[in-house]
Amino acid sequence: MKLKKISYGLGIFVVLILVGVLMKGVFEKQSNDFVAKVNGHEITLEEYRQAYVVFVPQTPQTEEQNKQTVLNNLINYQLFLEDAKKRGIVISEKELYAVLENLSLQKGMNISSFIQTNNQSGQDYETLKTRIEENLLVNKVLEIILQGTKISKEEVKKYYEENTAKLDRKSTRLNSSHTDISRMPSSA
């Protein structure tokens, strides 16, 4: 059940990161400071800040819990990417195109307009393709891991009953506009 929760949470996080990357042109200027190193890959402070901004409005946790959750999710994301590469998972041009087409349609644009809009936001086409590919890789790894995993109605009901207060976001929504993450360590 814990793996299911982690995978579900990471799945949501992956979607939020993709949305943040695509809509805000993030990662255009990355800081040399990093908050974690995963098998030689540095997770930059700028990546952390962008993920934090996207994630915080979605959760009723404390600031410290949010910081740790975002960092853990970025680390898990990188580990899932590495796992996808070890498994030899590849993303076809057809899959990339399908995601680009879907994202374009969601914005009411054709693909070339969508790409042009992202370019104007500071995110070139290659960066966009890389981020989409990474998200697809992580999603494929999660599908493999969760393959055959069944969640019963009883488990869903039990989880809901145990976490009703956490799920009631209307009364506990946090305001991220005044959140200061400048105290985040430069390395972890």
Side-chain angles (χ1 to χ4, degrees), residues 169-186:
R169 294 185 180 160
K170 291 177 184 170
S171 63
T172 58
R173 180 154 309 263
L174 296 176
N175 182 349
S176 64
S177 63
H178 302 295
T179 305
D180 177 17
I181 63 166
S182 61
R183 294 183 306 247
M184 185 66 193
S186 61

Side-chain angles (χ1 to χ4, degrees), residues 4-187:
K4 293 176 200 174
K5 288 179 187 176
I6 291 170
S7 298
Y8 177 75
L10 188 60
I12 290 172
F13 185 73
V14 166
V15 170
L16 292 172
I17 290 296
L18 181 59
V19 168
V21 167
L22 296 175
M23 298 304 108
K24 297 187 181 202
V26 297
F27 304 112
E28 58 186 320
K29 296 178 185 173
Q30 293 191 2
S31 167
N32 289 332
D33 294 335
F34 62 95
V35 294
K37 206 172 210 179
V38 181
N39 298 330
H41 174 83
E42 293 178 352
I43 298 171
T44 67
L45 183 58
E46 184 62 23
E47 287 173 310
Y48 172 85
R49 286 181 176 145
Q50 295 298 333
Y52 189 88
V53 168
V54 173
F55 178 78
V56 169
Q58 309 300 321
T59 178
Q61 298 182 71
T62 67
E63 182 179 349
E64 286 305 312
Q65 289 171 324
N66 284 333
K67 285 181 178 182
Q68 193 60 50
T69 299
V70 169
L71 183 59
N72 289 342
N73 284 340
L74 286 168
I75 291 168
N76 287 334
Y77 184 84
Q78 186 59 39
L79 291 171
F80 282 124
L81 272 177
E82 290 177 12
D83 190 29
K85 290 174 185 170
K86 285 180 189 172
R87 292 174 188 260
I89 298 171
V90 292
I91 304 301
S92 69
E93 287 295 320
K94 185 177 178 180
E95 290 171 295
L96 282 171
Y97 182 82
V99 171
L100 271 173
E101 186 174 46
N102 187 20
L103 291 168
S104 300
L105 290 173
Q106 288 176 9
K107 289 293 174 190
M109 303 177 188
N110 61 35
I111 291 176
S112 58
S113 296
F114 181 74
I115 292 169
Q116 185 178 11
T117 300
N118 276 283
N119 280 335
Q120 291 169 349
S121 298
Q123 184 176 36
D124 63 67
Y125 179 65
E126 288 305 313
T127 302
L128 176 65
K129 272 180 50 174
T130 299
R131 296 299 175 197
I132 292 171
E133 181 179 19
E134 287 176 351
N135 281 287
L136 288 171
L137 287 169
V138 169
N139 285 335
K140 283 188 175 193
V141 168
L142 288 171
E143 286 174 14
I144 291 168
I145 291 170
L146 295 174
Q147 209 169 33
T149 302
K150 304 252 188 262
I151 301 173
S152 69
K153 289 180 181 180
E154 291 78 27
E155 287 177 301
V156 172
K157 183 178 178 180
K158 180 181 175 189
Y159 179 82
Y160 178 79
E161 289 170 355
E162 291 174 356
N163 296 285
T164 301
K166 291 179 189 174
L167 297 172
D168 181 17
R169 294 185 180 160
K170 291 177 184 170
S171 63
T172 58
R173 180 154 309 263
L174 296 176
N175 182 349
S176 64
S177 63
H178 302 295
T179 305
D180 177 17
I181 63 166
S182 61
R183 294 183 306 247
M184 185 66 193
S186 61
S187 65

